[in-house]
Structures are given as C-alpha cells and as structure tokens.
C-alpha cells in the first residue's frame, strides 16, 4: 500500500522534538501560552541527518573506490607475475652464462615465456623455461671451457683408469 | 689444387638456414623457434647460441645489438646476418651432399 505525501509530512512532524506532530507547542512553558510550531528543530535535525547521510555515502564510496583500486592492483600484479619467468630459473640461467650472454639469452627466453604463458598457461611456461635452462647448461659449459681443459680432464681420467 | 673447403655440421647448417630465412628479423628467440619448427624438436636456446657464436667465430655470421623492448624485460636483442663466407659454406656443404646422393635411390630429393 502506498503512503501519501500528507502522511509522510505528518510522520515528519511526529518526529519534531517541539510539538511531536501536533503542530502546536509551548515556546516559553505551558503558563505562557501555546504557539504554532514552525518545526525549526525538525528542519535542523533533518538537514543534519541529510548531511550525515551524505557523509556516510561519501565514506562508503571512498571505501568502494579503495577496494576497487586494490582489486585492480592485485589483478595487475598477478597478471604481471604470471608473465614473468620463475626467479629461480632466471638465477640458474645467469649462473651458466658469461657476462656478454647475460643480456640477450634471458631476454629471448623472457619474450618466449610471455608468449607461451599466454597460449598454454603459466604452469606450462614455467616447465618450458626450466627445460630451456637445463638444456642450455651443457652447450654453455662446453662452449665456456677451452679445449686445453678438456684435454687435461681426459689425461687425468686416462691416468686413473 | 683448390682451397680446402669447410663443411658445416648438421645443426650449423640448420641454424645458418634459419638466419637466412628470417633475414632482418633474425635474433635468438626467432631463430630458436624457426629451428624448433623445422626440426620438430624442442631446441634449447643455449644450443642455438653456442652454434651461432661458433659460426660467427668462423666468419659465417655477423651479429650486432638491437633495441631493448619491454616484453624482454628491457634487454636488448642480438641480431644475426649471414655473411658471404656463410653462403659459400652452405653451397659447399649442399654440393657435397648432392654429389654423394646422386645416383642413389632411397627417395631422397636431389636438386
């Protein structure tokens, strides 16, 4: 059932601290006579309530905006993290590379890692990255060690066999 | 007697051909992808770079640093280009293979 405008007004008057909805009050006590209530305190309290509501609404919006920002930042962080190669893998790769190769090879792998993570997912990409690091270890070590060292190792083994 | 020819290894030949095929876009990641697609094997970037360095030392390739991009974590690319000696080595290797394969009938496509 709908509530009429008058009823709303009457309800508002009922909450007037001076007349309690009667429309009349005693401004200087019952002995000094009755007067028509102008609901001044009601109007003041209404304005105050409205102001408080606005403040609450503002605070609620601030909280919502903060939450939305945090959610967005978290999503961005997790997305960025998912497109980054595993830190342990990167450290292991840097260990087997010489100074000149530390720029290009990790860059190439990072580029491919991002592509694979987008296509097949982060877990698959991480496995691929570790496989690349493991597969690169032997060629890099073999390249880094000079033939003289291999000859020395061969001689050392021959003497012991 | 003619000058002794230097023949390429199997993987060296594949890497050199991949660099030729990629032309202006020949850098580590792309070369690895092209070689992996052609050989249908997961080739490691270390193996590719070791071969590229060896070919460069022999004078078959030339490399230079390119631009750094954000998707590579700000790291620069290293581009490669096949030199005349590389093309010559490819021709020599190919010629030797063709001479050996000529007249043999095992389904090999001889040019």
């Amino acid at each position: 059932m709908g509530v009429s405008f008058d009823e709303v007004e009457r309800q508002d008057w009922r909450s007037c601290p001076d007349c309690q909805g009667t429309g009349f009050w005693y401004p200087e006590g019952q002995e000094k006579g009755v007067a028509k209530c102008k609901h001044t305190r009601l109007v003041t309290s209404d304005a105050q309530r409205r102001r408080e509501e606005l403040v609450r609404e503002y605070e609620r919006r601030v909280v919502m905006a903060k939450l939305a920002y945090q959610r967005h930042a978290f999503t961005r962080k997790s997305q960025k993290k998912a497109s980054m190669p595993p830190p342990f893998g990167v450290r292991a790769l840097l260990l087997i590379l010489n100074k000149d190769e530390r720029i290009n090879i990790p860059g190439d792998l990072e580029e491919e890692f991002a592509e694979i993570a987008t296509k097949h997912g982060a877990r698959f990409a991480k496995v691929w990255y570790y496989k690349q690091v493991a597969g690169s270890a032997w060629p890099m070590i073999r390249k880094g060690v000079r033939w003289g060292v291999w000859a020395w190792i061969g001689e050392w083994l021959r003497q012991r066999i | 007697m003619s000058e002794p020819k230097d023949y390429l290894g199997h993987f060296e030949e594949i890497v050199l051909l991949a660099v030729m095929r990629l032309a202006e876009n020949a850098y580590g990641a792309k070369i690895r992808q092209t070689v992996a697609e052609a050989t249908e094997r997961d080739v490691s970037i270390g193996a590719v770079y070791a071969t590229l360095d060896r070919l460069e030392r022999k004078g078959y390739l030339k490399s230079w640093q390119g631009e750094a991009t954000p998707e590579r974590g700000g790291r620069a690319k290293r581009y490669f280009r096949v030199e005349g000696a590389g093309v010559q080595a490819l021709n020599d290797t190919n010629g030797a293979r063709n001479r050996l394969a000529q007249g043999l009938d095992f389904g090999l496509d001889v040019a």
Side-chain angles (χ1 to χ4, degrees):
Chain A
M1 228 168 86
V3 181
S4 71
F5 181 74
D6 289 342
E7 209 173 330
V8 172
E9 284 239 304
R10 235 178 288 130
Q11 276 174 356
D12 285 344
W13 288 357
R14 251 178 257 139
S15 58
C16 176
D18 294 329
C19 69
Q20 277 86 40
T22 58
F24 297 97
W25 73 309
Y26 305 100
E28 292 169 38
Q30 285 189 7
E31 301 79 30
K32 298 274 172 91
V34 74
K36 200 171 178 182
C37 184
K38 288 178 181 169
H39 311 299
T40 46
R41 284 173 68 191
L42 179 68
V43 170
T44 312
S45 65
D46 266 357
Q48 198 173 348
R49 203 181 308 129
R50 179 77 190 125
R51 203 163 39 242
E52 279 168 9
E53 269 172 19
L54 282 172
V55 168
R56 266 202 300 278
E57 179 64 17
Y58 172 75
E59 282 171 354
R60 195 183 66 83
R61 283 186 185 192
V62 167
V63 169
M64 292 294 283
K66 272 184 185 171
L67 280 173
Y69 175 76
Q70 279 172 3
R71 205 175 306 126
H72 175 68
F74 178 78
T75 314
R76 271 189 66 189
K77 200 177 167 186
S78 54
Q79 275 175 352
K80 200 180 170 189
K81 202 179 167 189
S83 66
M84 295 277 283
F88 180 75
V90 176
R91 255 178 265 139
L93 181 69
L94 293 176
L95 272 178
I96 57 169
L97 299 177
N98 67 34
K99 203 178 153 190
D100 300 331
E101 290 159 346
R102 283 180 191 166
I103 303 166
N104 315 116
I105 296 180
D108 286 327
L109 283 184
E110 194 169 329
E111 185 183 326
E112 275 199 78
F113 179 88
E115 281 175 29
I116 290 168
T118 315
K119 265 188 204 168
H120 306 287
R123 190 184 290 258
F124 184 90
K126 275 182 188 172
V127 172
W128 173 85
Y129 195 91
Y130 281 120
K131 271 171 74 179
Q132 280 293 320
V133 173
S136 300
W138 177 240
M140 286 294 142
I141 292 165
R142 200 175 54 184
K143 188 169 81 88
V145 179
R146 291 179 186 282
W147 281 111
V149 179
W150 291 119
W152 182 84
I153 293 168
E155 184 61 25
W156 184 81
L157 284 171
R158 198 183 63 80
Q159 283 172 5
R160 267 150 191 79
I161 294 169
Chain B
M1 197 176 153
S2 62
E3 218 173 283
K5 288 172 180 173
D6 191 11
Y7 296 109
L8 297 164
H10 179 60
F11 196 64
E12 285 178 335
E13 194 181 351
I14 289 172
V15 170
L16 211 54
L17 285 168
V19 174
M20 278 183 94
R21 183 169 282 275
L22 287 164
E24 299 295 309
N25 202 26
Y27 65 93
K30 292 284 171 212
I31 297 169
R32 197 206 70 80
Q33 280 173 3
T34 309
V35 171
E37 278 165 23
T39 58
E40 293 173 352
R41 273 166 48 189
D42 193 17
V43 184
S44 79
I45 191 87
V48 171
Y49 264 95
T51 309
L52 286 167
D53 284 343
R54 193 166 56 245
L55 291 170
E56 193 176 14
R57 271 202 308 276
K58 287 179 182 176
Y60 298 160
L61 286 176
K62 196 181 175 189
S63 76
W64 68 96
Q65 294 287 341
E67 76 280 10
T69 52
E71 65 265 23
R72 296 169 59 86
R75 294 180 177 101
K77 289 174 184 172
R78 185 174 164 199
Y79 286 99
F80 293 88
R81 190 183 63 208
V82 179
E83 294 286 277
V87 178
Q88 185 61 49
L90 271 171
N91 280 330
D92 291 346
T93 309
N94 213 20
R97 193 195 301 110
N98 288 346
R99 280 194 295 277
L100 281 168
Q102 219 150 31
L104 296 176
D105 186 22
F106 50 91
L108 190 74
D109 233 1
V110 180

